[in-house]
Amino acid sequence: RDDEEFKASAKEKVENPPFAKFESCLEVYGGDWFVGGDGPSVADFHIWEMLDQHKILGEKHGQPALLDKFPKCKAFYDRFRALPTLQKYFASDSYKLPINNPNAAAYFS
């Protein structure tokens, strides 16, 4: 991609994030987690990471309130981010590593 294609793609992603289905799942099933139960599952980790990456992309491209359009997803994001067992990771340098791989870095810089 050239720079203009990248900018158009990033703008589309932050203006119209693909979270309507996630929002609907949380609405229909009415739980705190996507798979259910008393705590997060593997699926919740993957969905949270996707929300986190889009949130970061939005912040880099002038859309800091990206998750506000999806209140249930935002509540899920905040709930997951507050898990006591993950606080050491979030405070570590590992959480601050580049997203995905060096080729994806262009999207987040």
Side-chain angles (χ1 to χ4, degrees):
R1 290 187 179 181
D2 64 23
D3 193 49
E4 290 305 313
E5 288 175 312
F6 160 73
K7 287 178 182 175
S9 177
K11 182 178 185 211
E12 174 65 24
K13 283 179 178 34
V14 299
E15 289 180 353
N16 300 299
F19 300 136
K21 285 186 180 183
F22 294 157
E23 191 77 4
S24 294
C25 284
L26 291 168
E27 176 81 28
V28 169
Y29 298 112
D32 289 340
W33 309 104
F34 279 92
V35 178
D38 296 329
S41 69
V42 171
D44 294 299
F45 279 81
H46 289 292
I47 292 170
W48 185 88
E49 181 180 29
M50 187 185 319
L51 292 171
D52 191 47
Q53 289 177 357
H54 277 76
K55 180 179 175 289
I56 292 167
L57 182 66
E59 289 167 354
K60 297 282 184 181
H61 293 277
Q63 294 279 347
L66 185 77
L67 294 178
D68 287 354
K69 298 175 186 177
F70 304 95
K72 292 193 180 305
C73 287
K74 183 175 185 328
F76 164 79
Y77 177 92
D78 293 341
R79 186 171 36 258
F80 189 99
R81 182 69 174 77
L83 288 169
T85 54
L86 296 177
Q87 296 313 299
K88 186 176 177 182
Y89 166 71
F90 290 129
S92 75
D93 288 339
S94 293
Y95 178 64
K96 298 171 187 89
L97 288 171
I99 294 176
N100 290 329
N101 62 54
N103 293 329
Y107 289 94
F108 297 94
S109 56

